[in-house]
Amino acid sequence: MLRLPRTIEWADGRVRLINQLKLPHSLEYIETSDWRRVAEAIRRMEIRGAPAIGVAAAFAMALAAVHSKARNLEELLSELRACASELRGTRPTAYNLFWAVDQVLATASRAPSLDEAREAVVAKALEIQRMDEEANRRIGEHGEKLIADGDTVMTICNAGSLATSYYGTATAPMYAALERGKRFRVIALETRPYLQGARLTAWELKQAGIDVKIVTDNSIGIVMQRERVDLVIVGADRITRSGYVANKVGTYPLALVAKEHGVPFYVAAPTSTFDLSIEGGEEIPIEVRPSEEVTYIFGQRIAPEGVEALYYAFDVTPPKLVTGIITEKGIVYPPYSKSIPALFGR
Ligand code: MRU
């Protein structure tokens, strides 16, 4: 049975989350009753990964509700709207954050009284966390059928348990395959500059007992030429209604190389990652992070003074490169402009 530490938890009006910047060297937690500290943790990437950011945002709203000094429902709703607006400004690409904040706001605005609103917000945040874990478990059940005994699976960034409530998205099929006794190995792209692949994916797969190797992001070409790669599974931060997939920068080149080598390229994501309000890839807001996150490595400058880096944190993979999208409701295949709306009953 899978035994990984919980990414984020709610207990007695406090939030406890793993500080992912400290991994893999130490497993440290941030514990707070201040919703602004949770917003800060999202901004600083102490917690990251689209579904985990969504749960963290929901818990931040719950902290705001529980510790609010509002004297009536109207005051509470206005505080929650301010909190929601700050949370929406933390990271722009992960749709789960916007989805979760809207869910919590809608729940609060339906409540008949101040006390019921507080309770309803906490219950909703906990439900979002539970639903995420359940969705990922199902993604695992659908996706494990794609992994055969002896396979090599490639992934990028960390779309693992650490990026979600539990199980992960891209890793859920791996964990389910492991539970069914399949033997396989994983090649994780290290994922410059935050090294989510080398630090986080390698850490949690190792904890789970899965054979994992790290490769630098620029070695996907030679690795696909010289090693047998059977399958690529990646996560997603936002998927449009026609199947454009925003995910960690480097995913698009990975999809191109996979296509050239005839390697199936799957995306694993819960339905909370789908933004049906947009169609094309150019409509997805792409986070651009500070130059220093690239020009410095662990506080040491690596580029000449006066030279800046251009750091897009995500890229967009077009639907024609995506073999299938593994969701909690099943795997959808092209044409996505039909299969994605159908997934939502449209
Ligand atoms: O910048 P990050 O670490 O938040 O980026 C994470 C990713 O790109 C993940 O692949 C994505 O959020 C899916 S997580 C299940």
Side-chain angles (χ1 to χ4, degrees):
M1 214 177 77
L2 189 63
R3 279 186 207 283
L4 288 169
R6 295 270 160 186
T7 309
I8 179 162
E9 280 173 309
W10 171 272
D12 305 325
R14 291 177 75 76
V15 168
R16 190 173 96 124
L17 54 92
I18 297 178
N19 183 349
Q20 299 193 24
L21 294 178
K22 302 284 184 186
L23 285 171
H25 305 298
S26 61
L27 180 59
E28 290 178 32
Y29 289 85
I30 293 164
E31 210 176 317
T32 183
S33 55
D34 179 0
W35 70 264
R36 286 188 180 79
R37 180 66 187 91
V38 178
E40 199 49 34
I42 297 173
R43 204 175 274 115
R44 287 190 201 156
M45 310 229 339
E46 288 161 332
I47 185 162
R48 30 63 52 205
I53 294 173
V55 174
F59 281 166
M61 304 264 300
L63 287 179
V66 166
H67 300 290
S68 160
K69 303 250 179 326
R71 284 156 304 178
N72 55 51
L73 182 58
E74 232 355 275
E75 267 180 39
L76 179 73
L77 291 179
S78 123
E79 285 176 16
L80 287 178
R81 281 192 286 268
C83 169
S85 139
E86 186 158 335
L87 287 164
R88 287 193 192 101
T90 53
R91 295 198 70 195
T93 306
Y95 188 64
N96 307 61
L97 182 146
F98 299 85
W99 174 87
V101 161
D102 288 348
Q103 294 263 317
V104 175
L105 270 187
T107 300
S109 56
R110 280 194 300 268
S113 71
L114 178 64
D115 286 343
E116 283 162 293
R118 285 190 219 273
E119 273 174 33
V121 163
V122 175
K124 188 70 194 178
L126 287 166
E127 183 192 319
I128 287 172
Q129 183 188 38
R130 254 195 331 272
M131 278 170 50
D132 181 53
E133 177 172 341
E134 181 57 21
N136 296 335
R137 204 183 53 76
R138 289 191 184 179
I139 285 172
E141 280 164 13
H142 296 301
E144 73 82 23
K145 297 181 184 72
L146 302 169
I147 301 175
D149 205 44
D151 269 0
T152 295
V153 186
M154 192 178 254
T155 191
I156 184 169
C157 194
N158 173 259
S161 189
L162 286 164
T164 65
S165 302
Y166 207 63
Y167 297 116
T169 58
T171 55
M174 303 174 197
Y175 293 139
L178 181 75
E179 270 170 15
R180 284 161 180 76
K182 294 182 190 171
R183 284 164 298 107
F184 55 95
R185 72 166 177 158
V186 176
I187 297 181
L189 269 60
E190 68 171 351
T191 322
R192 268 278 284 152
Y194 267 88
L195 307 177
Q196 292 96 326
R199 293 189 303 106
L200 308 177
T201 301
W203 181 79
E204 66 166 84
L205 292 182
K206 184 168 183 290
Q207 300 275 316
I210 293 176
D211 176 8
V212 57
K213 248 199 182 60
I214 298 159
V215 296
T216 60
D217 303 344
N218 49 8
S219 45
I220 44 175
I222 187 70
V223 171
M224 287 229 190
Q225 283 170 338
R226 298 291 170 97
E227 305 273 320
R228 209 194 67 213
V229 176
D230 299 283
L231 178 68
V232 177
I233 312 180
V234 302
D237 276 75
R238 194 183 289 235
I239 303 174
T240 74
R241 66 170 180 269
S242 56
Y244 285 85
V245 177
N247 191 48
K248 182 50 56 194
V249 67
T251 302
Y252 171 41
L254 176 58
L256 284 168
V257 177
K259 179 84 172 179
E260 177 66 20
H261 288 269
V263 176
F265 179 92
Y266 282 89
V267 174
T271 48
S272 53
T273 302
F274 288 74
D275 180 359
L276 299 188
S277 74
I278 58 176
E279 168 111 39
E282 67 294 340
E283 293 171 74
I284 303 176
I286 298 294
E287 179 177 19
V288 178
R289 293 189 62 92
S291 164
E292 298 73 47
E293 294 184 0
V294 172
T295 54
Y296 285 79
I297 295 182
F298 299 121
Q300 177 77 43
R301 189 164 179 101
I302 54 154
E305 290 295 342
V307 176
E308 299 223 322
L310 181 57
Y311 175 17
Y312 283 101
F314 297 94
D315 61 23
V316 180
T317 301
K320 66 177 182 194
L321 298 178
V322 179
T323 309
I325 307 177
I326 313 163
T327 77
E328 73 272 27
K329 296 184 182 175
I331 306 180
V332 291
Y333 292 99
Y336 295 112
S337 46
K338 289 210 166 62
S339 59
I340 291 175
L343 192 65
F344 292 84
R346 299 190 187 180

